[in-house]
């Protein structure tokens, strides 16, 4: 089974029970303004125009549906297609009745920001830039960066994910460049590292070694620019890097390397720049930095801890530490001051930097809390020891261990957090690892004989290269077989467990494994065009997309830190004033403190125990792991919105053909009503159907080939005056006979009498869950064809399991009522809508939503796209069409119905994990802050020292990430592991 969402391969449309006509790209009919004559309508066709709008603010399919509905109400609108994923709306209209500005205003009236995108033909107007952002610590940081990027002119959408520490910016390259994004991020107070500049499929980055001068770089640039097919070159002299856009049909990376290395007479060497701009390298470097900082902090903090809390109880050492240096200043206090200072200002410098940058931009983050808490403890201690040094009577009480231990625990927590966050994106790393590192490139002579073999980096494969795949090796590129035969294991991409036979002409997918024979393949899709790259890109985008529930954390983040600072100050003030005014017994104050110091410890504890990180990580980490787990099981979930909507689903609308059925109709019976040779009958019917792309038409043509002896080279008789009647069938003149092939309503429309025998055969056919097709010649019905599309083996069991999950199943099909009812009865579906056109499917979905249902639509064809967009969750069968998959929120790559259950169950488990994360994060803060403020102290004497409060804060964010990581052990429902289908256990 090939991955069909990469090429528009098979157009499925079963909106008729015998309609064999091809379907247009958009299914609904043009809507002319009312009151026009036929001549006026013809004149209008010449004014047809297409406008593309950027629509900001859409969050779900319902938003897209409301935009689409509003636009379609306008006069002169032919079609409106809204893409939620890319925030776009494409409108086809008659410019004599409506213009772009009116359409734009209509979209804005619905409540969304709309901008007309003026793009040249065949030129990509929107690019997606990905940037790694270093230094973000909580939701406040990510929100600040996101807001700064969003207001840049030319930016259509900006998303910043705290969990992945990345930004994804959709922008118009004609208006803004990625350099402005990097500058904006830097101005906001963070470091931005470019990962990719756009989804330009024909783009590569090359690193040049051996270049000593800028002139040499310019010379290389000129040499590359002269190559045919090179479109654009971006030069980074500092990194000695070239970014090239090119036409893959004319040139490729090997040509660039060859030109570069020949330009300098062998002095220059070119290599492909690390994939993703070295994203993994940056993450590993961050992990190492936190690890080193933590180890150095321990070097100083452990002696501080020992001198203040352990050695003071050993008589001999205690005497030495209590020895006076100047007045009341002791050796122990001086040692703690000296040892804690590097921890506070050198190792803890990152918190000062982060605080300054945040406050400079009017926001407050976790760094502000840490800096305030540690500074309060450190500088009070400095004041205390300086006063002791200058006074013969004042006995100092220092909190140096509080500041140094706080920083050490927080660094440990950040190290563990970064380590854990790295594991949340392991799914992408595993997907990328499927691609082989090297490939065997073949050189052929004019007669197709192999004259040379060369091992190359697989990233250097160019379009139309001939690649050799030996047994046991991974397929290096998407392509098709030109020589050899073998079996290929495609389970890692498609989920198909059995190896698929491959021979000349069959397609292969990069990253799959060749089992036995040797294959020579011709590369067709390379680099970011490949199936694997597109899957990786989809998963990456999904992990960037925010779930609506995350808005809760974003709202809290705006006032969380200022509120904590206020509570901390209030806590200190309350305890201090109570102490001064004798509001509590003196016995409550520890012997080594006074009321001010006790109040200060309570205030610091409140400040450092609060954890905005846990709230910020609650949703994105769970979404990352959930989407990664889904991808590993062949379920591509397009972000948090889809996950959140899927867990609420209580009604699923199933398309029939290709969804509940296998999708490959075959002729199972032929009944002639007139004496004629069966071969002649099928030759005329096939000639009429040969021009149709409908699955039923293909079934008739395929069956007709059995009566011909000329095999693959057969030529059907010429069909003149071919006419496709949408929703009904086809008409054509073949060998001077008028041939009509279609359903019963087509015959009645053509004033053709349907004999009683034919009526009986149709009724019998529909009772057997088959589609009846009538064939008429010269106005007389001469035969009835019975076409069957077998049910998928697991259909009945899947519907049964969904019922046990309290999910109602409905079937919507374009087939006739008789066949539809038979199929529904067989699978166990009670509610059926038959003879439904595409717009009727979408209308039914909206009716269900209006009745209070959360609706999922499962389909695979172009005709399902409106319903997929209208539904709360659109699920596209992976073997379906590009358009259906683009419209869907979830793609079931394996084309197995069982994955519908898995997708819903996974979303429920993921959302439960998000809820658990929020309960923990909120509960921790709601309980931790009062305890740190001393709520338990009056009754129990329990007091939370600041360093323990800091450790609790660090543990909080780590625990949220670890809670999300438990999703990695997700297993699909046990009912699916022992699914009984016809006596065979499917595992």
């Amino acid at each position: 089974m090939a991955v069909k969402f990469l090429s528009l391969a098979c157009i499925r449309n079963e909106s008729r029970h015998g309609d064999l006509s091809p379907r247009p790209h958009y299914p609904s009919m043009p809507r002319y303004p009312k009151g026009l004559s036929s001549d006026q309508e013809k004149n209008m066709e010449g004014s047809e125009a297409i406008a593309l709008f950027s629509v900001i603010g859409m969050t779900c399919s319902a938003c897209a549906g409301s935009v689409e509905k509003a636009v379609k109400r306008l006069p002169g609108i032919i079609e409106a297609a809204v893409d939620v994923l890319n925030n776009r709306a494409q409108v086809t209209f008659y410019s004599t009745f409506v213009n772009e500005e009116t359409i734009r205003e209509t979209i804005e009236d619905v409540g969304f920001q709309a901008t007309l995108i003026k793009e040249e033909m065949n030129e990509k107007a929107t690019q997606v830039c990905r940037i790694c952002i270093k230094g973000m610590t909580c939701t406040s940081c990510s929100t600040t960066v996101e807001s700064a990027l969003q207001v840049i002119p030319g930016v259509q959408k900006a998303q910043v994910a705290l969990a992945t520490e990345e930004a994804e910016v959709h922008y118009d390259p004609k208006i803004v460049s990625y350099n402005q994004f990097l500058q904006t991020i830097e101005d906001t107070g963070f470091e931005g590292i470019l990962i990719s500049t756009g989804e330009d499929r024909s783009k590569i980055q090359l690193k040049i070694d051996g270049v000593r001068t800028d002139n040499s770089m310019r010379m290389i640039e000129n040499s590359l620019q002269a190559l045919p097919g090179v479109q654009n070159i971006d030069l980074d002299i500092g990194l000695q890097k070239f970014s090239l856009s090119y036409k893959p049909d004319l040139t490729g990376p090997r040509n660039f390397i060859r030109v570069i290395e020949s330009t300098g007479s062998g002095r220059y060497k070119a290599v492909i720049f690390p994939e993703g701009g070295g994203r993994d390298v940056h993450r590993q470097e961050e992990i190492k930095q936190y690890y080193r900082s933590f180890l150095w902090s321990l070097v100083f903090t452990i002696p501080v801890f020992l001198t203040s809390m352990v050695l003071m109880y050993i008589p001999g050492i205690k005497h030495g530490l209590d020895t006076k240096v100047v007045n009341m200043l002791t050796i122990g206090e001086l040692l703690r001051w000296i040892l804690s200072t590097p921890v506070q200002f050198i190792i803890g410098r990152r918190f000062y930097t982060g605080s300054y940058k945040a406050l400079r931009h009017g926001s407050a983050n976790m760094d502000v809390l840490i800096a305030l808490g540690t500074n309060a403890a450190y500088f009070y201690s400095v004041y205390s020891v300086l006063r002791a040094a200058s006074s013969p009577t004042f006995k100092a009480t220092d909190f140096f261990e509080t500041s140094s231990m706080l920083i050490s625990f927080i660094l440990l927590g950040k190290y563990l957090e970064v380590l854990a966050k790295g594991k949340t994106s392991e799914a992408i790393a595993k997907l990328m690892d499927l691609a082989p590192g090297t490939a065997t490139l073949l050189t052929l002579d004019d007669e197709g004989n192999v004259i040379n073999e060369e091992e190359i980096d697989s990233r250097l494969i160019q379009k139309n290269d001939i690649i050799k795949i030996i047994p046991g090796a991974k397929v290096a590129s998407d392509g098709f077989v030109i020589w050899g035969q073998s079996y290929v294991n495609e389970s890692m991409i498609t989920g198909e467990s059995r190896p698929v036979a491959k021979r000349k002409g069959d397609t292969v997918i990069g990253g799959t494994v060749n089992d036995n024979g040797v294959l020579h393949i011709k590369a067709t899709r390379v680099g970011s065009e490949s199936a694997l790259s597109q899957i990786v890109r989809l998963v990456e985008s999904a992990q960037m997309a925010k779930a609506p529930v995350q808005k809760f954390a974003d709202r809290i983040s705006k006032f969380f830190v200022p509120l904590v600072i206020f509570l901390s100050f209030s806590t200190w003030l309350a305890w201090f004033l109570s102490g001064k005014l004798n509001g509590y017994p003196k016995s409550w104050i520890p012997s080594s403190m006074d009321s001010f110091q006790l109040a200060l410890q309570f205030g610091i504890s409140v400040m450092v125990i609060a954890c905005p990180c846990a709230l910020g990580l609650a949703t994105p980490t769970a979404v990352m792991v959930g989407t990664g787990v889904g991808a590993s099981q062949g379920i591509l979930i397009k972000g948090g919105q889809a996950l959140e909507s899927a867990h609420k689903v209580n009604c699923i609308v199933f398309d029939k053909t290709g969804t509940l059925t296998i999708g490959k109709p075959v002729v199972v019976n032929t009944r002639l009503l007139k004496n004629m040779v069966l071969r002649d009958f099928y030759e005329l019917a096939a000639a009429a159907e040969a021009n149709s792309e409908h699955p039923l038409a293909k079934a008739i043509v395929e069956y007709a080939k059995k009566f011909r002896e000329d095999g693959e080279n057969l030529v059907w008789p010429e069909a003149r005056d071919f006419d496709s009647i949408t929703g009904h069938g086809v008409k054509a003149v073949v060998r001077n006979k008028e041939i009509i092939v279609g359903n019963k309503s087509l015959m009645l429309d053509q004033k053709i009498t349907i004999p009683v025998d034919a009526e009986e055969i149709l009724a019998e056919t529909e009772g057997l869950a088959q589609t009846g097709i009538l064939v008429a010649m010269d106005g007389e019905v001469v035969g009835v064809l019975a076409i069957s599309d077998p049910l998928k083996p697991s259909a009945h069991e899947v519907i049964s399991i969904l019922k046990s999950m309290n999910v109602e199943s409905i079937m919507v099909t374009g087939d006739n009522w008789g066949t539809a009812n038979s199929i529904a009865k067989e699978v166990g579906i009670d509610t059926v809508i038959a003879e439904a056109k595409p717009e009727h499917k979408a209308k039914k979905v909206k009716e269900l939503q209006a009745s209070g249902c959360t609706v999922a639509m499962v389909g695979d064809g172009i005709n399902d796209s409106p319903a997929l967009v209208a539904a709360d969750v659109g699920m596209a069968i992976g073997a379906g069409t590009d358009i259906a998959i683009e419209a869907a929120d979830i793609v079931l790559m394996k084309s197995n119905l069982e994955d519908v259950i898995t997708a819903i169950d996974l979303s429920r488990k993921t959302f439960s994990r998000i809820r658990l994360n929020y309960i923990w994060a909120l509960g921790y803060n709601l309980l931790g802050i009062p305890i740190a403020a001393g709520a338990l102290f009056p009754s129990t004497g329990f007091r939370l020292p600041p360093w323990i409060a800091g450790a609790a804060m660090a543990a909080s964010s780590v625990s949220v990430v670890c809670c999300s990581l438990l999703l990695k052990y997700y297993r699909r429902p046990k009912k699916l592991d022992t699914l009984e289908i016809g006596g065979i256990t499917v595992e």
Side-chain angles (χ1 to χ4, degrees), residues 972-987:
R972 66 182 195 161
K974 290 182 179 179
K975 294 176 184 177
L976 297 180
D977 293 332
T978 55
L979 201 60
E980 293 287 340
I981 304 172
I984 301 173
T985 301
V986 178
E987 295 183 355

PDB file of all heavy atoms in Angstrom, residues 972-987:
ATOM      1  N   ARG A 972      -2.745   0.732  22.341  1.00  0.00           N
ATOM      2  CA  ARG A 972      -4.109   0.875  21.842  1.00  0.00           C
ATOM      3  C   ARG A 972      -5.045  -0.057  22.626  1.00  0.00           C
ATOM      4  O   ARG A 972      -4.580  -1.017  23.267  1.00  0.00           O
ATOM      5  CB  ARG A 972      -4.169   0.567  20.349  1.00  0.00           C
ATOM      6  CG  ARG A 972      -3.871  -0.869  19.973  1.00  0.00           C
ATOM      7  CD  ARG A 972      -3.920  -1.021  18.472  1.00  0.00           C
ATOM      8  NE  ARG A 972      -3.989  -2.433  18.074  1.00  0.00           N
ATOM      9  CZ  ARG A 972      -4.391  -2.843  16.896  1.00  0.00           C
ATOM     10  NH1 ARG A 972      -4.754  -1.966  15.979  1.00  0.00           N
ATOM     11  NH2 ARG A 972      -4.435  -4.123  16.609  1.00  0.00           N
ATOM     12  N   PRO A 973      -6.372   0.184  22.591  1.00  0.00           N
ATOM     13  CA  PRO A 973      -7.307  -0.631  23.378  1.00  0.00           C
ATOM     14  C   PRO A 973      -7.131  -2.124  23.135  1.00  0.00           C
ATOM     15  O   PRO A 973      -6.910  -2.565  22.003  1.00  0.00           O
ATOM     16  CB  PRO A 973      -8.680  -0.154  22.866  1.00  0.00           C
ATOM     17  CG  PRO A 973      -8.444   1.231  22.393  1.00  0.00           C
ATOM     18  CD  PRO A 973      -7.053   1.245  21.837  1.00  0.00           C
ATOM     19  N   LYS A 974      -7.206  -2.899  24.211  1.00  0.00           N
ATOM     20  CA  LYS A 974      -6.991  -4.348  24.114  1.00  0.00           C
ATOM     21  C   LYS A 974      -7.998  -5.021  23.189  1.00  0.00           C
ATOM     22  O   LYS A 974      -7.717  -6.051  22.590  1.00  0.00           O
ATOM     23  CB  LYS A 974      -7.064  -4.977  25.507  1.00  0.00           C
ATOM     24  CG  LYS A 974      -5.885  -4.608  26.401  1.00  0.00           C
ATOM     25  CD  LYS A 974      -5.975  -5.296  27.753  1.00  0.00           C
ATOM     26  CE  LYS A 974      -4.776  -4.937  28.620  1.00  0.00           C
ATOM     27  NZ  LYS A 974      -4.854  -5.573  29.962  1.00  0.00           N
ATOM     28  N   LYS A 975      -9.185  -4.418  23.054  1.00  0.00           N
ATOM     29  CA  LYS A 975     -10.206  -4.992  22.171  1.00  0.00           C
ATOM     30  C   LYS A 975      -9.694  -5.103  20.740  1.00  0.00           C
ATOM     31  O   LYS A 975     -10.097  -5.975  19.982  1.00  0.00           O
ATOM     32  CB  LYS A 975     -11.464  -4.120  22.183  1.00  0.00           C
ATOM     33  CG  LYS A 975     -12.188  -4.092  23.524  1.00  0.00           C
ATOM     34  CD  LYS A 975     -13.365  -3.132  23.467  1.00  0.00           C
ATOM     35  CE  LYS A 975     -14.049  -3.021  24.825  1.00  0.00           C
ATOM     36  NZ  LYS A 975     -15.146  -2.029  24.803  1.00  0.00           N
ATOM     37  N   LEU A 976      -8.798  -4.190  20.352  1.00  0.00           N
ATOM     38  CA  LEU A 976      -8.279  -4.195  18.985  1.00  0.00           C
ATOM     39  C   LEU A 976      -7.180  -5.237  18.804  1.00  0.00           C
ATOM     40  O   LEU A 976      -6.908  -5.659  17.680  1.00  0.00           O
ATOM     41  CB  LEU A 976      -7.728  -2.811  18.617  1.00  0.00           C
ATOM     42  CG  LEU A 976      -8.743  -1.667  18.590  1.00  0.00           C
ATOM     43  CD1 LEU A 976      -8.050  -0.368  18.211  1.00  0.00           C
ATOM     44  CD2 LEU A 976      -9.861  -1.960  17.606  1.00  0.00           C
ATOM     45  N   ASP A 977      -6.532  -5.624  19.892  1.00  0.00           N
ATOM     46  CA  ASP A 977      -5.440  -6.593  19.783  1.00  0.00           C
ATOM     47  C   ASP A 977      -5.947  -8.005  19.516  1.00  0.00           C
ATOM     48  O   ASP A 977      -5.221  -8.853  19.003  1.00  0.00           O
ATOM     49  CB  ASP A 977      -4.594  -6.587  21.069  1.00  0.00           C
ATOM     50  CG  ASP A 977      -3.850  -5.280  21.235  1.00  0.00           C
ATOM     51  OD1 ASP A 977      -3.561  -4.650  20.199  1.00  0.00           O
ATOM     52  OD2 ASP A 977      -3.576  -4.886  22.371  1.00  0.00           O
ATOM     53  N   THR A 978      -7.181  -8.257  19.894  1.00  0.00           N
ATOM     54  CA  THR A 978      -7.741  -9.599  19.664  1.00  0.00           C
ATOM     55  C   THR A 978      -9.041  -9.474  18.881  1.00  0.00           C
ATOM     56  O   THR A 978     -10.062 -10.051  19.246  1.00  0.00           O
ATOM     57  CB  THR A 978      -7.997 -10.316  21.001  1.00  0.00           C
ATOM     58  OG1 THR A 978      -8.836  -9.500  21.814  1.00  0.00           O
ATOM     59  CG2 THR A 978      -6.685 -10.591  21.723  1.00  0.00           C
ATOM     60  N   LEU A 979      -8.997  -8.682  17.812  1.00  0.00           N
ATOM     61  CA  LEU A 979     -10.179  -8.460  16.988  1.00  0.00           C
ATOM     62  C   LEU A 979     -10.458  -9.692  16.159  1.00  0.00           C
ATOM     63  O   LEU A 979      -9.637 -10.132  15.365  1.00  0.00           O
ATOM     64  CB  LEU A 979      -9.941  -7.256  16.074  1.00  0.00           C
ATOM     65  CG  LEU A 979     -11.161  -6.556  15.495  1.00  0.00           C
ATOM     66  CD1 LEU A 979     -12.046  -6.009  16.597  1.00  0.00           C
ATOM     67  CD2 LEU A 979     -10.717  -5.422  14.588  1.00  0.00           C
ATOM     68  N   GLU A 980     -11.638 -10.292  16.347  1.00  0.00           N
ATOM     69  CA  GLU A 980     -11.999 -11.505  15.613  1.00  0.00           C
ATOM     70  C   GLU A 980     -12.699 -11.131  14.314  1.00  0.00           C
ATOM     71  O   GLU A 980     -13.751 -10.501  14.316  1.00  0.00           O
ATOM     72  CB  GLU A 980     -12.937 -12.379  16.453  1.00  0.00           C
ATOM     73  CG  GLU A 980     -12.289 -12.976  17.694  1.00  0.00           C
ATOM     74  CD  GLU A 980     -11.320 -14.101  17.366  1.00  0.00           C
ATOM     75  OE1 GLU A 980     -11.429 -14.662  16.279  1.00  0.00           O
ATOM     76  OE2 GLU A 980     -10.457 -14.413  18.208  1.00  0.00           O
ATOM     77  N   ILE A 981     -12.091 -11.466  13.203  1.00  0.00           N
ATOM     78  CA  ILE A 981     -12.673 -11.173  11.897  1.00  0.00           C
ATOM     79  C   ILE A 981     -12.782 -12.472  11.128  1.00  0.00           C
ATOM     80  O   ILE A 981     -11.792 -13.033  10.663  1.00  0.00           O
ATOM     81  CB  ILE A 981     -11.803 -10.169  11.117  1.00  0.00           C
ATOM     82  CG1 ILE A 981     -11.608  -8.891  11.933  1.00  0.00           C
ATOM     83  CG2 ILE A 981     -12.439  -9.850   9.785  1.00  0.00           C
ATOM     84  CD1 ILE A 981     -10.612  -7.946  11.333  1.00  0.00           C
ATOM     85  N   GLY A 982     -14.010 -12.947  10.992  1.00  0.00           N
ATOM     86  CA  GLY A 982     -14.206 -14.185  10.227  1.00  0.00           C
ATOM     87  C   GLY A 982     -13.438 -15.342  10.786  1.00  0.00           C
ATOM     88  O   GLY A 982     -12.926 -16.185  10.053  1.00  0.00           O
ATOM     89  N   GLY A 983     -13.321 -15.385  12.122  1.00  0.00           N
ATOM     90  CA  GLY A 983     -12.638 -16.518  12.732  1.00  0.00           C
ATOM     91  C   GLY A 983     -11.138 -16.372  12.786  1.00  0.00           C
ATOM     92  O   GLY A 983     -10.431 -17.211  13.300  1.00  0.00           O
ATOM     93  N   ILE A 984     -10.606 -15.265  12.247  1.00  0.00           N
ATOM     94  CA  ILE A 984      -9.154 -15.060  12.254  1.00  0.00           C
ATOM     95  C   ILE A 984      -8.838 -13.962  13.252  1.00  0.00           C
ATOM     96  O   ILE A 984      -9.463 -12.903  13.251  1.00  0.00           O
ATOM     97  CB  ILE A 984      -8.649 -14.650  10.857  1.00  0.00           C
ATOM     98  CG1 ILE A 984      -9.009 -15.735   9.838  1.00  0.00           C
ATOM     99  CG2 ILE A 984      -7.159 -14.388  10.866  1.00  0.00           C
ATOM    100  CD1 ILE A 984      -8.693 -15.333   8.412  1.00  0.00           C
ATOM    101  N   THR A 985      -7.892 -14.189  14.118  1.00  0.00           N
ATOM    102  CA  THR A 985      -7.503 -13.188  15.100  1.00  0.00           C
ATOM    103  C   THR A 985      -6.486 -12.244  14.481  1.00  0.00           C
ATOM    104  O   THR A 985      -5.428 -12.655  14.020  1.00  0.00           O
ATOM    105  CB  THR A 985      -6.889 -13.857  16.348  1.00  0.00           C
ATOM    106  OG1 THR A 985      -7.870 -14.745  16.892  1.00  0.00           O
ATOM    107  CG2 THR A 985      -6.518 -12.810  17.380  1.00  0.00           C
ATOM    108  N   VAL A 986      -6.827 -10.949  14.496  1.00  0.00           N
ATOM    109  CA  VAL A 986      -5.931  -9.942  13.939  1.00  0.00           C
ATOM    110  C   VAL A 986      -5.110  -9.354  15.059  1.00  0.00           C
ATOM    111  O   VAL A 986      -5.642  -8.899  16.059  1.00  0.00           O
ATOM    112  CB  VAL A 986      -6.751  -8.828  13.236  1.00  0.00           C
ATOM    113  CG1 VAL A 986      -5.822  -7.762  12.705  1.00  0.00           C
ATOM    114  CG2 VAL A 986      -7.565  -9.433  12.106  1.00  0.00           C
ATOM    115  N   GLU A 987      -3.802  -9.360  14.891  1.00  0.00           N
ATOM    116  CA  GLU A 987      -2.938  -8.801  15.935  1.00  0.00           C
ATOM    117  C   GLU A 987      -2.056  -7.722  15.335  1.00  0.00           C
ATOM    118  O   GLU A 987      -1.800  -7.698  14.161  1.00  0.00           O
ATOM    119  CB  GLU A 987      -2.059  -9.903  16.541  1.00  0.00           C
ATOM    120  CG  GLU A 987      -2.900 -10.964  17.270  1.00  0.00           C
ATOM    121  CD  GLU A 987      -2.025 -12.000  17.933  1.00  0.00           C
ATOM    122  OE1 GLU A 987      -0.803 -11.958  17.750  1.00  0.00           O
ATOM    123  OE2 GLU A 987      -2.561 -12.864  18.628  1.00  0.00           O
TER     124      GLU A 987
END
